[in-house]
């Protein structure tokens, strides 16, 4: 259950970051993912949530670095 919550958390972050580019169907999927996340969160223990938070921090650092490298180009010259 905690692994599913972790995966959903990553999906939701990525989808929220590109929300304006999502189709209507993808936006509906996002709502459903958020509902599932909330349901799972209510069932997880504090220890399990801490586990997710620790892994999410590691993942998010890498995600932000890649987003920066891909979408923010330094000026040349």
């Amino acid at each position: 259950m905690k692994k599913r919550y972790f995966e959903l958390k990553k999906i939701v972050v990525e989808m929220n970051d590109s929300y304006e580019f999502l189709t209507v169907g993808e936006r509906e999927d996002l709502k459903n993912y958020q509902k599932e996340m909330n349901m799972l969160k209510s069932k997880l223990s504090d220890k399990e949530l801490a586990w997710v938070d620790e892994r999410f921090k590691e993942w998010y650092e890498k995600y932000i670095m890649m987003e920066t490298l891909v979408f923010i180009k330094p000026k040349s010259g």
Side-chain angles (χ1 to χ4, degrees):
M1 199 166 27
K2 68 183 178 185
K3 289 182 181 179
R4 175 67 179 159
Y5 179 73
F6 174 55
E7 291 303 318
L8 284 170
K9 195 168 183 171
K10 293 189 301 185
I11 291 168
V12 166
V13 164
E14 290 176 336
M15 290 181 86
N16 276 327
D17 282 354
S18 59
Y19 188 82
E20 63 272 12
F21 302 110
L22 298 179
T23 65
V24 173
E26 291 169 329
R27 290 179 182 189
E28 192 61 37
D29 289 342
L30 176 59
K31 287 180 190 176
N32 291 331
Y33 292 145
Q34 289 169 326
K35 287 177 188 176
E36 185 179 352
M37 264 183 65
N38 289 333
M39 182 200 61
L40 289 173
K41 185 176 182 179
S42 68
K43 294 180 179 182
L44 294 174
S45 69
D46 289 343
K47 186 177 179 179
E48 290 170 317
L49 289 172
W51 181 92
V52 171
D53 287 344
E54 189 59 37
R55 272 132 197 98
F56 183 77
K57 281 190 271 185
E58 294 168 8
W59 173 83
Y60 194 71
E61 284 180 28
K62 293 174 187 171
Y63 173 74
I64 288 297
M65 183 180 293
M66 289 306 297
E67 288 290 303
T68 301
L69 292 172
V70 170
F71 294 111
I72 300 176
K73 306 282 188 213
K75 289 187 176 183
S76 59

